[in-house]
Amino acid sequence: MELLKNIFSPLTQIKGRTSIILIVVEAFLALLLWEIVGQNGLIPVPSKILTSVVSIVTSAYFVDNLFSSLALTFTGMGISIVLALLVSYLSLIPVFAPVAKFIVKCRYLTLTGLIFLFTLLTQDGHQLKLSLLIFGIVPFFVTSLLAIIEAINVQEYELCKTLRMNNWQTLWEVVIIGRLDQVFEVMRQNFAIAWMMITMVEGLSMSEGGLGTMLIKSNKYIDLSTVFGILVIIFALGIFFDFLLRNLRHWLFPYTKIQVKK
Amino acid sequence: MTSYSKNEVLIAVKDVNLSYDKQILRDINFTIHNIVRPGMNQGQVISLIGRSGIGKTQLFKILAGLIPPNTGTVLVGLEQQPVKAGQVGIVAQNYILFNHRTVYDNLRLAMKHDSITLGDKEKDALINDYAAKFDLTEHLKKYPMQLSGGQRQRASIIQQVLTGNKFILLDEPFSGLDALMIDRVMELLLQVSTLDELNTLVIVSHDVENSLAISDTAFILARQKDQEGATITETLDLIEMGFAWNPAIRENEKFQHLVAQIKHKI
Ligand SMILES: Nc1ncnc2c1ncn2[C@@H]1O[C@H](COP(=O)(O)OP(=O)(O)O)[C@@H](O)[C@H]1O
């Protein structure tokens, strides 16, 4: 009874187990509702999607496509974070600040208009996909990283001064290693953007396959249960990597766990 | 009356003025002398007392060399050189430490700069020594976020002492602490002040009672009638008054009378 009252009153702290039960129950109810209501509709019902997920995962071409997408995502993410970190750290040196500001604004450029240019500039489909992905992610990375740097308390810089560090040591201590855990968090949060873009750029050059290619092909044949099956796989993988990155962060930077508890 | 003498000038503040859109600080002048007592390392504990918003933090930053005044100078050390950021230690009000490093690493960082020539073993020994003295031994491996306010403050003070700074500024060291912790901090500060003959603690606070109880000299920062900007309106020589070097002085009736008087003036 107490529990029932609690889950309906605002600003109530609920315990870990209760919140997991809530998630499971609500997800189950939603799926059940979908299954019942959707019987005669256009959208395939959960049981059908599940069957197609199983058949996709067990099909011969799935692993190749999956690895193609993962490889592209990780390469893209890796290069993007290095570029974004470089730009963000350099932004602290006045000469480079305008460049960083411009890159941040590039979030508002739409990729579609630039595809032709990128096609001319790159040599093959792989390069095209990779460069579009990087061009798409870097502005978001830089935006988040600059926000982190912006949020640093001046007192931390002052502390460095009283400890007689020079500007380079201060940059290292406060901005670089002092914020590495947050860089990791930015990567986790922006992984979603990369993962979302991957299916889009894969559609531009289908020769290498990938989850995005699978998605587009099934769309063409109006094979909706396969489309939804692929979507579910993409969704599940995204959640899985999010979970992985979060735990990796706690493991690499033990002090981030303390902040979470507070 | 304990025998003592006031010798060389350690800190001299001359004609400091600061204004933003309006005048904040006006004609701040004071000097801090090396107090010498036979048979011991007697450092200096000075407080700058004023109410909130009067400009204490600005004066604090000027003394630390973090912001330049519009006019005037701050000279520090036996050589009386203009202050440079880094020469004066700071213990900020919220006890800033590096959250990504353990307490031990935070302390270790304080001894990284070139003017400290100790070896690794000696540095370790020094850290352990201070940690034991100031009740931090069992917390050395923890991260700052895991410490209580009082523990963070002690770590912060030790960090500044380890840097080798003789002059340490403390911003509101008594705020946010309960009565018991305030007594502990006073003990700690008195201990730090007697570690070295030249050690000089400058406390910036609105807490009249505790600041006066721990200081040998106090400057009152207040606004004068019809004048913009705060200045030093009064200097209290607590040694002369017989109130210095004795935290138990807070129970003394005459001392309480003085506290009431000053509270009225700020
Ligand atoms: N950067 C600034 N620009 C303009 N006014 C400021 C600035 N910093 C502080 N002030 C003003 O200076 C006054 C004194 O502030 P502060 O030194 O923080 O007071 P205290 O530490 O005594 O509480 C305040 O009225 C505040 O508004």
Side-chain angles (χ1 to χ4, degrees):
Chain A
M1 214 44 229
E2 184 65 16
L3 185 74
L4 263 183
K5 216 176 89 190
N6 277 345
I7 60 174
F8 284 107
S9 68
L11 300 176
T12 314
Q13 287 274 358
I14 51 170
K15 281 205 215 73
R17 236 191 44 207
T18 322
S19 86
I20 289 172
I21 292 174
L22 273 180
I23 292 170
V24 172
V25 169
E26 282 174 29
F28 179 76
L29 285 179
L31 289 175
L32 195 67
L33 198 69
W34 182 357
E35 183 79 39
I36 296 167
V37 176
Q39 275 309 332
N40 301 311
L42 178 67
I43 300 170
V45 292
S47 57
K48 250 179 123 182
I49 295 174
L50 194 69
T51 334
S52 78
V53 167
V54 173
S55 76
I56 294 167
V57 172
T58 50
S59 69
Y61 55 85
F62 174 69
V63 176
D64 283 344
N65 281 315
L66 175 67
F67 273 103
S68 164
S69 286
L70 287 181
L72 188 60
T73 312
F74 288 132
T75 322
M77 284 279 285
I79 298 174
S80 300
I81 194 73
V82 171
L83 284 177
L85 282 174
L86 214 64
V87 171
S88 310
Y89 294 151
L90 284 176
S91 77
L92 293 173
I93 305 172
V95 207
F96 296 105
V99 181
K101 283 204 184 106
F102 174 70
I103 290 178
V104 166
K105 295 291 182 282
C106 283
R107 278 172 307 159
Y108 296 107
L109 273 178
T110 154
L111 279 181
T112 321
L114 294 170
I115 290 172
F116 179 66
L117 178 70
F118 274 82
T119 316
L120 289 182
L121 288 176
T122 52
Q123 281 161 3
D124 55 29
H126 182 74
Q127 269 194 17
L128 173 67
K129 288 193 289 185
L130 195 59
S131 44
L132 277 175
L133 192 61
I134 293 169
F135 193 80
I137 313 173
V138 166
F140 288 94
F141 267 163
V142 175
T143 307
S144 311
L145 292 175
L146 288 184
I148 290 173
I149 294 174
E150 185 75 12
I152 296 175
N153 191 337
V154 263
Q155 286 183 307
E156 247 179 275
Y157 296 120
E158 291 174 358
L159 174 61
C160 289
K161 271 191 186 154
T162 66
L163 299 181
R164 300 184 196 175
M165 297 182 188
N166 62 33
N167 284 349
W168 291 105
Q169 289 166 323
T170 304
L171 178 76
W172 172 251
E173 189 63 41
V174 177
V175 184
I176 301 184
I177 60 166
R179 293 297 177 277
L180 213 51
D181 66 306
Q182 294 185 30
V183 169
F184 222 78
E185 184 63 13
V186 165
M187 268 173 39
R188 183 172 79 89
Q189 285 170 4
N190 287 314
F191 179 77
I193 295 173
W195 197 229
M196 194 194 74
M197 284 191 53
I198 196 84
T199 48
M200 202 186 86
V201 299
E202 275 174 352
L204 297 172
S205 162
M206 315 244 271
S207 58
E208 285 181 274
L211 296 175
T213 314
M214 284 169 69
L215 202 57
I216 286 165
K217 280 183 182 158
S218 332
N219 257 326
K220 234 190 249 163
Y221 304 120
I222 323 183
D223 181 2
L224 273 188
S225 56
T226 310
V227 170
F228 271 75
I230 298 168
L231 280 180
V232 167
I233 294 169
I234 290 174
F235 181 72
L237 281 171
I239 305 264
F240 170 70
F241 283 116
D242 190 78
F243 170 82
L244 210 65
L245 282 171
R246 183 168 53 212
N247 281 288
L248 199 59
R249 174 168 177 253
H250 286 337
W251 179 70
L252 284 173
F253 313 101
Y255 52 92
T256 55
K257 260 194 284 202
I258 313 160
Q259 276 155 311
V260 168
K261 255 189 245 155
K262 274 203 169 167
Chain B
M1 191 80 221
T2 34
S3 76
Y4 73 95
S5 59
K6 283 190 175 180
N7 294 12
E8 324 83 298
V9 174
L10 295 178
I11 297 177
V13 177
K14 289 186 183 152
D15 303 321
V16 163
N17 280 276
L18 179 77
S19 36
Y20 292 113
D21 25 319
K22 59 180 196 305
Q23 186 138 24
I24 310 279
L25 300 171
R26 181 172 53 81
D27 298 330
I28 307 271
N29 281 289
F30 64 86
T31 48
I32 296 170
H33 293 266
N34 181 18
I35 293 167
V36 179
R37 285 166 84 188
M40 65 183 296
N41 288 326
Q42 180 63 55
Q44 296 61 240
V45 183
I46 284 86
S47 39
L48 281 161
I49 303 174
R51 63 176 170 73
S52 294
I54 196 80
K56 296 188 301 290
T57 308
Q58 307 308 310
L59 182 54
F60 181 92
K61 291 197 168 172
I62 291 172
L63 293 178
L66 293 172
I67 57 173
N70 294 115
T71 62
T73 48
V74 176
L75 305 174
V76 294
L78 292 171
E79 298 83 22
Q80 289 288 290
Q81 294 290 320
V83 67
K84 282 201 298 262
Q87 281 176 322
V88 178
I90 297 180
V91 177
Q93 194 173 351
N94 39 2
Y95 329 130
I96 287 268
L97 292 162
F98 296 114
N99 282 332
H100 59 281
R101 290 186 179 273
T102 59
V103 174
Y104 173 84
D105 285 339
N106 264 286
L107 297 180
R108 196 58 198 267
L109 213 52
M111 293 188 284
K112 214 175 152 191
H113 61 87
D114 298 338
S115 34
I116 288 180
T117 51
L118 299 174
D120 280 355
K121 274 205 185 120
E122 292 162 298
K123 286 180 181 175
D124 273 352
L126 205 56
I127 289 177
N128 288 327
D129 195 30
Y130 275 109
K133 237 186 230 160
F134 297 127
D135 233 353
L136 282 173
T137 305
E138 55 182 312
H139 305 299
L140 282 177
K141 286 208 176 71
K142 291 187 186 168
Y143 287 95
M145 300 287 282
Q146 292 167 295
L147 302 186
S148 73
Q151 290 161 347
R152 294 244 303 257
Q153 185 184 33
R154 294 206 292 280
S156 203
I157 293 170
I158 296 174
Q159 190 183 40
Q160 294 298 329
V161 173
L162 285 173
T163 311
N165 287 329
K166 300 272 185 270
F167 305 113
I168 298 179
L169 292 167
L170 299 108
D171 195 3
E172 300 285 0
F174 309 118
S175 76
L177 300 178
D178 59 42
L180 195 71
M181 284 309 302
I182 288 178
D183 290 348
R184 294 273 308 269
V185 175
M186 285 198 176
E187 244 172 73
L188 163 68
L189 293 179
L190 287 176
Q191 223 173 326
V192 170
S193 77
T194 50
L195 286 173
D196 188 287
E197 175 59 47
L198 294 181
N199 273 4
T200 303
L201 304 178
V202 179
I203 294 166
V204 175
S205 175
H206 65 267
D207 183 333
V208 179
E209 183 177 6
N210 292 313
S211 307
L212 289 183
I214 195 181
S215 304
D216 51 67
T217 312
F219 300 104
I220 310 299
L221 193 65
R223 214 161 279 155
Q224 285 167 324
K225 238 184 159 182
D226 307 323
Q227 297 246 39
E228 264 211 1
T231 193
I232 306 281
T233 52
E234 200 163 341
T235 302
L236 302 175
D237 187 335
L238 294 145
I239 312 176
E240 277 303 307
M241 297 178 184
F243 295 152
W245 305 315
N246 174 17
I249 197 72
R250 280 173 294 175
E251 273 112 62
N252 179 306
E253 220 173 285
K254 276 190 201 145
F255 178 79
Q256 286 169 358
H257 184 69
L258 175 71
V259 170
Q261 243 183 338
I262 298 298
K263 272 187 184 164
H264 194 69
K265 285 180 187 164
I266 66 171

